[in-house]
């Protein structure tokens, strides 16, 4: 099985950032989250272009609006990309 590189970063705030790379070393997926998806955002990339965003709050998939509301309590969480 060919394993692709994964990069983990834990910030002093407690936020975890996970980056998955494809076989060419290009970023494929990036996820920012707190505490087992208390809040989270996940991005999918293809050829360096962001294709998709997925939002989580309280361990559930949520709408962009719900994510924005929850994000008010987590100042270092990224804002949603309204162009997607």
């Amino acid at each position: 099985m060919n394993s692709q590189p994964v990069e983990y970063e834990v910030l002093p705030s407690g936020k975890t950032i996970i980056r998955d790379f494809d076989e060419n070393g290009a970023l494929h997926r990036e996820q920012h989250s707190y505490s087992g998806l208390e809040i989270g955002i996940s991005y999918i990339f293809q050829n360096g272009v962001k294709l998709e965003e997925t939002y989580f709050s309280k361990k559930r998939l949520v709408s962009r609006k719900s994510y924005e509301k929850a994000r008010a309590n987590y100042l270092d969480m990224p804002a949603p990309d309204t162009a997607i």
Side-chain angles (χ1 to χ4, degrees), residues 37 40 53-63 66:
L37 287 182
E53 286 187 349
T54 307
Y55 314 103
F56 302 91
S57 180
K58 298 180 183 174
K59 301 179 184 178
R60 295 180 33 219
L61 188 63
V62 296
S63 69
S66 294

Side-chain angles (χ1 to χ4, degrees), residues 14 16-17 19-20 35-36 38 42 44 57 60-63 72 78-80 82:
T16 301
I17 302 171
R19 294 178 183 95
D20 296 321
S35 182
E38 186 59 33
S42 182
I44 300 292
S57 180
R60 295 180 33 219
L61 188 63
V62 296
S63 69
T82 58

Side-chain angles (χ1 to χ4, degrees), residues 28-51:
H28 170 69
R29 185 178 69 91
E30 181 173 294
Q31 179 176 310
H32 297 238
S33 63
Y34 271 94
S35 182
L37 287 182
E38 186 59 33
I39 186 169
I41 187 169
S42 182
Y43 309 108
I44 300 292
F45 297 89
Q46 185 176 38
N47 299 322
V49 176
K50 190 187 313 177
L51 298 178

